[in-house]
Amino acid sequence: MTTFLWIVLPYACLAVFVLGHVWRWRHDQFGWTTHTSQLLESRILRWASPLFHLGAFGVIAGHAVGLLVPASLTSALGIPEGLYHATAVWGGTVSGAVLVAGVVLLIARRVVNGRVRRATTTMDKVLYAALAAMVVLGMTATVGTNLIGHGYDYRETIAVWFRSVFWFSPQSRLMIDAPVIYQLHAVGGFLFLALWPFTRLVHVWSAPLAYLWRPYVVYRARRGAPRAPMPSPAAVRDREVGERETFA
């Protein structure tokens, strides 16, 4: 079971993540969007979307620093472990709370608004359920274990195992004694990556980054020849009278 959970499962999920995106791009480019429902309801979305995205960015940044930056590096930079721990815990708590608010509003919007609910697909429901599960596990680990509880130094175990997966030398033994909540969060994270290509989350790879360096688009007014003035009713009447006299 240890080999399956901490070696086989991560690589299987990463393979699905990569190949799933390739398949989705080749077979469903028209579906490569957020499938926005803003036209159906915007009052709740006006709050839910910024909260969700801000919280998600904060949580992703926190995970990137916590998992990818080794303790030896922060120590070499002169950052005390206590300061790092306090920043990580409180930063994660604030970002997680913002993300929770965003997810709750997004789910509530799908439930209370009939038009949005009817436009919700099965995959949307699966995505929101997975998001809710990941948020609950993450907040339980951050708040329940590190803020309220006795704490756990994941940088010496989980972070090392996580980096070893990408170095193709997974140290599965480091995960054996990790708290169950962290184990569930790690397994859930990789399963979430496997789900990613088949949901609306693929739109994050379509961010218009090229706008940052593309040349300016200059719009100019089209100036053609001035239009002839509209004839007055009297002029039209005189012309019609003249034409009748000519044919007479």
Side-chain angles (χ1 to χ4, degrees):
M1 182 60 72
T2 299
T3 301
F4 174 78
L5 287 178
W6 313 122
I7 299 178
V8 176
L9 182 65
Y11 286 120
C13 291
L14 290 174
V16 173
F17 178 80
V18 175
L19 297 178
H21 278 92
V22 174
W23 176 87
R24 179 78 180 271
W25 178 254
R26 290 174 62 89
H27 294 86
D28 188 28
Q29 291 190 28
F30 288 106
W32 193 283
T33 68
T34 60
H35 302 286
T36 180
S37 56
Q38 183 176 0
L39 294 177
L40 302 178
E41 194 282 333
S42 60
R43 184 171 57 88
I44 300 177
L45 187 64
R46 189 179 300 115
W47 289 97
S49 182
L51 288 172
F52 172 77
H53 286 91
L54 287 174
F57 291 150
V59 169
I60 292 172
H63 279 72
V65 173
L67 295 175
L68 300 180
V69 178
S72 58
L73 179 58
T74 55
S75 177
L77 294 175
I79 301 175
E81 186 62 26
L83 176 61
Y84 172 87
H85 178 75
T87 303
V89 171
W90 284 104
T93 301
V94 172
S95 298
V98 174
L99 181 59
V100 167
V103 171
V104 169
L105 286 175
L106 288 174
I107 294 176
R109 176 174 175 268
R110 297 272 170 183
V111 173
V112 302
N113 189 286
R115 292 195 300 172
V116 178
R117 183 172 62 251
R118 287 189 292 272
T120 301
T121 65
T122 301
M123 189 53 69
D124 288 335
K125 297 176 183 178
V126 173
L127 172 61
Y128 281 114
L131 275 173
M134 289 301 299
V135 168
V136 169
L137 291 173
M139 290 298 288
T140 303
T142 301
V143 178
T145 303
N146 284 320
L147 189 62
I148 300 176
H150 300 290
Y152 176 70
D153 189 5
Y154 60 88
R155 302 181 78 195
E156 298 297 331
T157 55
I158 298 175
V160 177
W161 162 79
F162 183 81
R163 293 193 297 270
S164 71
V165 170
F166 292 91
W167 287 113
F168 299 101
S169 58
Q171 302 180 32
S172 57
R173 68 183 186 281
L174 296 174
M175 296 296 295
I176 297 176
D177 297 325
V180 175
I181 190 64
Y182 280 92
Q183 292 181 347
L184 292 175
H185 192 49
V187 170
F190 276 103
L191 291 176
F192 190 79
L193 288 179
L195 177 67
W196 189 305
F198 311 103
T199 68
R200 63 176 64 211
L201 292 179
V202 294
H203 79 276
V204 303
W205 311 119
S206 302
L209 298 180
Y211 280 34
L212 298 175
W213 57 79
R214 76 170 191 179
Y216 291 107
V217 177
V218 180
Y219 292 93
R220 294 185 175 91
R222 216 173 148 185
R223 300 176 188 239
R227 291 184 178 181
M230 293 292 294
S232 64
V236 173
R237 185 184 64 247
D238 294 342
R239 185 177 62 191
E240 291 177 351
V241 171
E243 289 177 351
R244 284 199 297 269
E245 292 177 351
T246 300
F247 287 107

